Amino acid sequence: MEFQAVILAAGRGSRMLDLTSSTPKPLLPIGNKPLIWYPISLLEKAGFADVIVICLESTSTDIKNALTNVYDVKLNIDIVTIPNDEDWGTADSLRYIKDKVKSDIIVLSCDLITDIQLHRLADVHRTYDASVTMLLGNLPDQSSEAITVPGVKSKKKHVQQDIVGLDDKKEKGRHILMLESEADVEESISVKMSLLKQYPRINIKTKLLDAHLYIMKKWIVDFLAEHKSISTIKGELLPYLVKKQFQKPKSKKDENVQDTSMMVSSEQVQDIYSLAVEDDMTKWVRELSTWNDHTGDMEECYHGNNIRCYAHVMEEGFCIRANTLASYVEANRHMPKYISTLSANGEESLIHSASNIKNRSQVGHDCMVGEGSNLSEKVSVKKSIIGKHCNIGDKVRITTSVIMDHVTISDGCSIQGSVICSDAHINEQSEIKDCLVGGSQTIPEKSKHTSEVIVDSERMMEF
């Protein structure tokens, strides 16, 4: 493809700190692959040869080793590090690599796992000559009781949703007319009369997931370089661009008037319109085009505002962001079904050939067992992921759980609905239900724990 690929992997996983305190977010295992492997594989499948990965200084060596040495990724990876002590947003990260951006870019979050064919998003971007094109998936059903989240059982927190207004055309791309966070809306949504005249029917959606997969014009990165007050893509940049689609450049006499949508001066507002222009080659190609009369459905692309925001709505397929403990568990649950589809190499074995499973043990078809793991006699594993180099003792029962790498579970233990982090040791005849056991923790023999977050070797913490 003609786009430069950028993966944003500098997030600290603030919404899943019990997991990321011992393992950096990009390297969290899902389906026995590091999280960042999934967007990398997505790009490989689409034919990309190069990718820029933006990560923290402290994680760069481990990420490079995992991708190049352990998983033999074929892409040329340009790792760009940002200081550990900087609290940068996603737009800040793009601004940081401005000098490396030579063309339009495709931006992916490292926590995105999806089986979309990237050419579908690219087709929308090209068709409407969009300034930015985003992927929208279906928000997971928060009312579902099928997934038990390990740890504290408390009242369900309301999940903040996005309010997305789309045109009513059933085309392969949908024009984004509104984009608001539910947190920014008090009681009602204001819609300008001029927008309603142009689009008398607006579909308001609240169950769509911003997948954090975007295709952007190069000029947007140039715009960010000039406007350092914009820190995030989703929360600040996208809503700003959506609003600017339906505004016109201010005249010079308005230079001192404030733009309340982003609290920037009109001089800055004019900057975006001066950047959002066609290059001479594109204009020339369009003038010579014989297939399009520049009217009808495509009229906006030729005669409207040069700022255009579109979306591809993913009606079917797999799309999840593993950015919370709940979505991390959910993503692992789906991996036995989707791992081969998501891999650039095709078929992936659920049971690694270098694992050792005794004949009298049972491992369900909806499970995965990693390289070098040993399962002793009469082990039962159902709907679970067992990582690399784990040792599972006799008569152990593991159900709907995630067992990370180098975990030891001794004889007679029962693990249900839990996440056991790397290097943990569960001693004999312990019962762990709906718990999160932190990295390198040791559980004494015959212990019984339910709905706990065990993150300290000296004490058990229940919230």
Side-chain angles (χ1 to χ4, degrees):
M1 291 188 181
E2 68 271 27
F3 311 111
Q4 283 183 266
V6 180
I7 294 178
L8 303 177
R12 291 173 168 82
S14 58
R15 286 184 279 182
M16 50 201 308
L17 288 175
D18 292 322
L19 294 176
T20 57
S21 60
S22 56
T23 304
K25 179 181 175 182
L27 298 176
L28 282 174
I30 291 184
N32 289 333
K33 307 281 188 183
L35 185 52
I36 195 173
W37 177 86
Y38 291 93
I40 288 283
S41 183
L42 183 66
L43 293 171
E44 281 192 328
K45 288 174 64 178
F48 281 86
D50 306 279
V51 61
I52 299 171
V53 175
I54 305 175
C55 64
L56 296 172
E57 289 177 345
S58 58
T59 63
S60 60
T61 301
D62 290 338
I63 288 176
K64 186 173 183 178
N65 178 64
L67 295 178
T68 58
N69 297 332
V70 180
Y71 294 96
D72 193 27
V73 170
K74 300 299 190 294
L75 270 70
N76 296 317
I77 301 174
D78 180 9
I79 293 184
V80 178
T81 62
I82 64 175
N84 292 333
D85 56 355
E86 294 287 354
D87 186 20
W88 285 1
T90 48
D92 297 321
S93 295
L94 286 185
R95 184 182 299 113
Y96 188 62
I97 63 166
K98 174 185 177 296
D99 292 339
K100 289 180 176 286
V101 176
K102 308 300 181 184
S103 64
D104 294 354
I105 59 174
I106 182 167
V107 181
L108 306 88
S109 173
C110 80
D111 59 26
L112 173 63
I113 306 175
T114 180
D115 61 358
I116 188 177
Q117 296 176 320
L118 285 181
H119 73 80
R120 297 186 181 277
L121 194 70
D123 286 347
V124 172
H125 191 75
R126 299 180 187 117
T127 298
Y128 299 99
D129 192 29
S131 306
V132 61
T133 305
M134 65 188 297
L135 175 65
L136 295 173
N138 290 311
L139 197 67
D141 185 4
Q142 300 297 326
S143 64
S144 174
E145 299 295 334
I147 299 301
T148 300
V149 180
V152 185
K153 295 297 173 286
S154 58
K155 291 183 179 179
K156 284 190 175 181
K157 295 181 180 179
H158 177 67
V159 178
Q160 291 292 339
Q161 300 171 336
D162 295 321
I163 300 173
V164 184
L166 304 172
D167 63 14
D168 64 343
K169 297 174 184 176
K170 302 300 181 182
E171 306 291 338
K172 61 183 176 182
R174 304 289 294 276
H175 197 173
I176 305 172
L177 309 177
M178 297 171 50
L179 185 60
E180 302 277 354
S181 171
E182 184 183 19
D184 297 331
V185 177
E186 295 181 357
E187 295 181 356
S188 60
I189 302 174
S190 299
V191 182
K192 289 187 176 181
M193 186 60 67
S194 57
L195 181 61
L196 286 174
K197 286 181 179 179
Q198 189 174 356
Y199 297 92
R201 296 179 63 184
I202 301 177
N203 290 334
I204 305 296
K205 306 286 187 179
T206 59
K207 299 295 184 181
L208 292 177
L209 168 74
D210 177 1
H212 283 219
L213 171 53
Y214 316 105
I215 299 179
M216 297 180 180
K217 294 279 193 182
K218 179 184 180 298
W219 66 257
I220 292 180
V221 180
D222 297 333
F223 172 75
L224 288 174
E226 299 295 328
H227 297 77
K228 295 179 174 57
S229 62
I230 300 177
S231 182
T232 64
I233 295 174
K234 177 184 176 180
E236 297 172 277
L237 177 63
L238 289 181
Y240 181 70
L241 293 174
V242 168
K243 290 177 181 178
K244 290 302 151 189
Q245 295 178 106
F246 310 107
Q247 298 179 11
K248 295 181 179 180
K250 299 284 182 69
S251 61
K252 288 188 177 181
K253 66 181 180 180
D254 296 325
E255 283 186 355
N256 294 322
V257 178
Q258 291 291 318
D259 177 3
T260 58
S261 65
M262 283 290 293
M263 295 304 293
V264 294
S265 69
S266 64
E267 180 181 357
Q268 292 174 326
V269 174
Q270 286 192 356
D271 282 345
I272 194 169
Y273 291 105
S274 64
L275 290 168
V277 295
E278 287 184 334
D279 58 77
D280 293 337
M281 179 61 71
T282 302
K283 289 181 180 179
W284 182 67
V285 169
R286 286 189 170 170
E287 289 173 358
L288 295 179
S289 174
T290 59
W291 62 270
N292 198 306
D293 61 2
H294 299 192
T295 60
D297 182 52
M298 302 299 294
E299 185 172 4
E300 290 179 358
C301 302
Y302 293 93
H303 304 295
N305 195 322
N306 281 341
I307 302 174
R308 290 180 289 275
C309 303
Y310 277 80
H312 172 71
V313 180
M314 199 170 172
E315 302 290 352
E316 57 185 17
F318 185 69
C319 184
I320 192 170
R321 288 192 63 215
N323 61 343
T324 65
L325 178 57
S327 60
Y328 176 79
V329 172
E330 175 77 348
N332 272 288
R333 184 175 75 92
H334 284 287
M335 281 309 102
K337 178 180 179 181
Y338 286 104
I339 187 68
S340 293
T341 304
L342 296 167
S343 174
N345 299 321
E347 192 68 26
E348 291 276 344
S349 176
L350 300 185
I351 309 298
H352 198 281
S353 59
S355 61
N356 180 26
I357 302 175
K358 297 294 185 181
N359 292 332
R360 298 177 68 183
S361 291
Q362 295 181 340
V363 178
H365 67 279
D366 48 6
C367 300
M368 299 181 71
V369 178
E371 176 185 5
S373 286
N374 295 298
L375 278 64
S376 300
E377 297 287 352
K378 297 183 179 180
V379 173
S380 174
V381 183
K382 299 178 181 178
K383 299 181 179 179
S384 298
I385 308 292
I386 296 178
K388 300 178 181 180
H389 306 292
C390 294
N391 289 304
I392 312 298
D394 294 340
K395 298 181 180 180
V396 170
R397 300 190 308 270
I398 302 174
T399 308
T400 58
S401 296
V402 179
I403 313 298
M404 295 190 190
D405 300 340
H406 301 281
V407 169
T408 298
I409 302 178
S410 300
D411 297 348
C413 290
S414 174
I415 312 295
Q416 180 180 343
S418 298
V419 174
I420 313 297
C421 295
S422 297
D423 299 301
H425 193 126
I426 315 297
N427 280 301
E428 290 84 354
Q429 299 180 22
S430 293
E431 296 181 14
I432 308 295
K433 182 179 180 181
D434 301 337
C435 292
L436 189 152
V437 178
S440 302
Q441 302 307 304
T442 298
I443 305 299
E445 63 180 58
K446 297 183 180 180
S447 297
K448 293 185 179 181
H449 302 285
T450 301
S451 300
E452 296 182 32
V453 177
I454 304 169
V455 294
D456 188 273
S457 60
E458 299 297 326
R459 60 192 177 95
M460 307 305 180
M461 299 179 64
E462 184 171 356
F463 300 91

